[in-house]
């Protein structure tokens, strides 16, 4: 018998373990919800004495996905996004994600700390682990106090918007003050960067030309507007020497600005999303173009190819879903005018399979690079690493067993998100999770969700050190 001083709950044998920095055959030993050891495959199963042995032969054993960008049950524009924490977290698990990071966006005039506390209350029903970004949609009297209150509550990332005037947009002074305050608590400013006046001008021009319906979404929010806002926000970060993270980047130009800033010593980070990496703007020419309306919009095929190349080279830091669920009817109601439409796409469940299939199975991204994008870097850039985002002694036993050769045709009928469409309907996707462990407990087994009730825990963010 191997001399473990604690009882062994689970041993995962026969698979190829993949982290962001290495991969190889091995056995993962789990005790008390944590990874106890990663053993050489030559160690006999009998000697481990595990209560349960999971055979992962032919499969990959990866850290559970960490989705850094989810909008659950939040009023945005005319509607409240559809998913509850119960449904979105179940969908997350079905797609191989074990931790979601949601945005506590205050209503206009609402105190941002109250918004966070309310969100924490709602999250009690979560099936997977979760964390939060704070959000400011106006400048509080005492920014430092608000940021310190977030940090006391285990929140060290705060999202700011340079667009959506009258709803979410803040000015450059607020951005600067938040960056300075977050720096003192080891935090990180998350920015939705699109230069608002350029967008409003493009939209007005489109409306005058009669081209403001969903078919013309791509032209209504030009790539130059994204690049310009990234440039402006980076210059603030550089001046105050504070880290910054750009959500849902859709252009190689925007990512290139981040990379150039990093060369100059700025701690700057890029997130992109499955839809910017695997769809192109021809989706606005087909049926139901409104189902693809999101901000920034889906870009042209040439832009997408360049963005994918950056991801392949591991020059994009994270892939978040930007999960923002509306029904097909809600999406269609204002499809004649994208300025009135609910923005955003469902994606928490499809994030891992879509990225694996397009970028790894059919593309040039390594398995290690995949883990970095969907798990390790999101964990690092949310202060959750190494508790989340890796498989090493001491980390939470959040593990996805992934069959890289399983092909399925995506259909909303098989998915668990609280909506009635997926942007990937009919796409053949190769690479799906088969089994998922959350802190050592099987929450998906042989492709079937096992609902253990609301076992998700809030994971407070530690100081964020970067990648
Ligand atoms: O279109 C999007 N991305 N909707 C969600 C809200 C946001 O801007 O992230
Ligand atoms: Zn955004
Ligand atoms: Zn978003």
């Amino acid at each position: 018998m191997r001399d473990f001083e604690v009882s062994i709950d689970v041993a995962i044998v026969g698979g190829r373990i993949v982290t962001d920095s290495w991969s190889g055959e091995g056995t993962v030993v789990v005790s008390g919800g944590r990874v106890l050891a990663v053993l050489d495959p030559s160690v006999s199963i009998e000697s481990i004495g595990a209560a349960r042995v999971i055979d992962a032969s032919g499969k990959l054993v990866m850290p559970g996905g960490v989705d850094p960008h989810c909008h659950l049950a939040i009023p945005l524009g005319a509607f409240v996004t559809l998913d509850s924490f119960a449904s979105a977290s179940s969908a997350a698990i079905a797609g191989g994600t074990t931790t979601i990071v949601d945005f506590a966006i205050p209503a206009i005039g609402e105190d941002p700390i109250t918004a966070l506390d309310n969100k924490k209350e709602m999250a009690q029903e979560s099936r997977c682990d979760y964390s939060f970004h704070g959000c400011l949609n106006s400048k509080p009297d005492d920014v430092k106090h608000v940021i310190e209150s977030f940090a006391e509550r285990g929140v060290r990332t705060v999202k700011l918007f340079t667009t959506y005037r009258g709803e979410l947009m803040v000015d450059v002074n607020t951005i600067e003050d938040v960056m300075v305050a977050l720096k003192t608590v080891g935090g990180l400013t998350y920015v939705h960067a699109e230069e608002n006046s350029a967008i409003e001008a493009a939209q007005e021009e489109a409306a005058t030309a009669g081209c403001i319906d969903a078919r013309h979404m791509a032209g209504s929010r030009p790539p130059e507007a994204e690049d310009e806002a990234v440039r402006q926000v980076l210059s603030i970060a550089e001046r105050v020497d504070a880290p910054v993270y750009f959500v849902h980047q859709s252009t190689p130009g925007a990512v290139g600005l981040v990379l150039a800033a990093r060369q100059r010593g700025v701690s700057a980070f890029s997130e992109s999303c499955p839809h910017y990496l695997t769809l192109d703007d021809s989706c606005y020419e087909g049926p139901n173009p409104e189902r693809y309306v999101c901000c920034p919009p889906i870009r042209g095929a040439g832009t997408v190819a360049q963005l994918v190349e950056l991801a392949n080279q591991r020059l994009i830091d994270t892939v978040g879903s930007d999960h923002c669920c509306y029904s097909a009817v809600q999406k269609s109601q204002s499809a004649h005018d994208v300025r009135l439409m609910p923005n955003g796409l469902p994606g928490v469940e499809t994030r891992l399979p879509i990225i694996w299939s397009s970028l790894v199975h059919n593309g040039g991204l390594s398995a290690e690079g995949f883990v970095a994008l969907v798990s390790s870097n999101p964990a690092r850039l949310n202060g959750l690493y190494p508790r989340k985002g890796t498989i090493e002694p001491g980390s939470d036993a959040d593990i996805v067993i992934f069959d890289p050769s399983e092909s399925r045709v995506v259909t909303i009928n098989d998915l668990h998100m609280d909506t009635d469409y997926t942007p990937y309907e009919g796409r053949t996707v190769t690479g799906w999770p088969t089994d998922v462990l959350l802190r050592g407990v099987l929450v998906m087994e042989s492709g079937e969700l096992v609902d253990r009730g609301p076992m998700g825990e809030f994971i407070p963010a530690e100081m964020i050190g970067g990648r």
Side-chain angles (χ1 to χ4, degrees):
M1 280 292 279
R2 197 182 163 85
D3 192 18
F4 285 118
E5 284 172 4
V6 291
S7 59
I8 306 304
D9 304 319
V10 181
I12 305 169
V13 303
R16 179 173 156 233
I17 302 166
V18 186
T19 72
D20 68 333
S21 56
W22 69 278
S23 68
E25 308 293 309
T27 297
V28 181
V29 180
V30 175
S31 175
R34 302 228 166 183
V35 175
L36 183 68
V38 178
L39 303 178
D40 191 87
S42 60
V43 176
S44 79
I45 302 170
E46 293 73 33
S47 74
I48 297 169
R52 176 162 198 166
V53 174
I54 299 175
D55 182 5
S57 299
K59 297 182 187 162
L60 307 176
V61 179
M62 304 191 280
V66 177
D67 191 337
H69 193 147
C70 297
H71 299 279
L72 309 188
I74 188 85
L76 283 173
F79 302 105
V80 177
T81 63
L82 288 180
D83 261 319
S84 65
F85 274 84
S87 59
S89 58
S90 298
I93 289 168
T97 287
T98 45
T99 305
I100 53 178
V101 192
D102 179 57
F103 293 88
I105 299 181
I108 294 169
E110 188 185 16
D111 168 41
I113 304 298
T114 307
L116 172 63
D117 291 344
N118 289 342
K119 259 309 173 74
K120 275 193 178 173
E121 200 52 44
M122 290 167 74
Q124 300 292 320
E125 57 176 14
S126 185
R127 270 56 180 165
C128 71
D129 284 354
Y130 55 91
S131 192
F132 291 103
H133 307 290
C135 179
L136 300 184
N137 53 9
S138 63
K139 186 169 175 173
D141 295 336
D142 189 345
V143 172
K144 196 163 177 293
H145 170 73
V146 172
I147 299 301
E148 284 170 358
S149 304
F150 279 144
E152 278 161 19
R153 288 165 168 76
V155 169
R156 286 189 156 77
T157 47
V158 173
K159 169 122 179 239
L160 302 174
F161 294 80
T162 68
T163 186
Y164 304 139
R165 187 158 59 93
E167 281 180 275
L168 296 166
M169 182 172 138
V170 293
D171 60 20
V172 286
N173 294 329
T174 309
I175 296 175
E176 177 168 336
D177 288 359
V178 169
M179 281 183 177
V180 170
L182 273 173
K183 200 170 111 171
T184 66
V185 298
L188 177 58
T189 309
Y190 274 47
V191 183
H192 173 142
E194 288 183 291
E195 211 283 310
N196 194 62
S197 56
I199 285 169
E200 287 187 358
Q203 289 182 335
E204 204 176 311
E205 198 179 316
T208 306
C211 298
I212 197 65
D213 60 279
R215 284 174 303 141
H216 298 93
M217 180 64 196
S220 73
R221 298 183 91 92
E224 295 75 23
E226 184 175 347
D227 298 359
E228 180 52 28
V230 170
R231 204 174 282 115
Q232 288 174 11
V233 172
L234 278 170
S235 82
I236 302 172
E238 191 159 8
R239 182 155 42 76
V240 301
D241 188 25
V244 61
Y245 175 108
F246 292 94
V247 297
H248 53 48
Q249 290 201 304
S250 71
T251 73
V255 175
L257 287 164
V258 168
L259 293 171
R262 213 185 275 173
Q263 291 279 317
R264 302 193 300 274
V266 185
S267 279
F269 306 99
S270 286
E271 172 194 280
S272 194
C273 306
H275 39 286
Y276 300 124
L277 291 161
T278 72
L279 293 168
D280 66 56
D281 62 2
S282 61
C283 62
Y284 297 122
E285 291 162 14
N288 302 115
E290 70 280 1
R291 295 186 187 181
Y292 303 90
V293 166
C294 55
C295 306
I298 313 250
R299 306 293 188 191
T303 301
V304 174
Q306 290 177 51
L307 204 61
V308 167
E309 198 38 48
L310 289 165
N312 288 345
Q313 292 174 36
R314 299 181 68 164
L315 295 174
I316 291 174
D317 298 290
T318 69
V319 167
S321 65
D322 197 0
H323 177 75
C324 201
C325 254
Y326 299 102
S327 69
V329 165
Q330 288 174 332
K331 288 296 262 188
S332 68
Q333 261 170 27
S334 306
H336 62 284
D337 188 339
V338 293
R339 294 170 297 184
L340 310 174
M341 274 197 63
N343 302 310
L345 310 181
V348 72
E349 188 167 1
T350 45
R351 185 179 66 119
L352 268 64
I354 290 289
I355 291 294
W356 179 275
S357 189
S358 290
L359 271 65
V360 184
H361 180 76
N362 292 319
L365 179 67
S366 65
E368 293 85 350
F370 171 79
V371 170
L373 277 178
V374 303
S375 178
S376 312
N377 287 341
R380 287 190 180 92
L381 294 170
N382 283 283
L384 308 175
Y385 191 93
R387 180 164 176 193
K388 305 294 186 186
T390 187
I391 298 177
E392 60 186 77
S395 64
D396 278 357
D398 295 351
I399 294 169
V400 53
I401 301 176
F402 194 87
D403 185 345
S405 57
E406 184 185 336
S407 275
R408 281 190 219 159
V409 177
V410 178
T411 167
I412 191 64
N413 301 329
D414 294 341
L415 299 175
H416 304 80
M417 298 177 287
D418 212 350
T419 180
D420 52 1
Y421 82 97
T422 162
Y424 308 104
E425 185 74 35
R427 183 186 287 202
T428 300
V429 166
T430 304
W432 290 89
T434 57
D435 302 81
V436 177
L437 288 88
L438 177 65
R439 284 176 276 107
V441 176
L442 261 173
V443 286
M444 186 162 82
E445 193 172 355
S446 306
E448 294 294 326
L449 277 173
V450 184
D451 189 2
R452 309 273 182 191
M455 67 169 285
E457 282 182 9
F458 171 65
I459 311 295
E462 306 283 345
M463 308 258 276
I464 298 168
R467 276 178 58 176

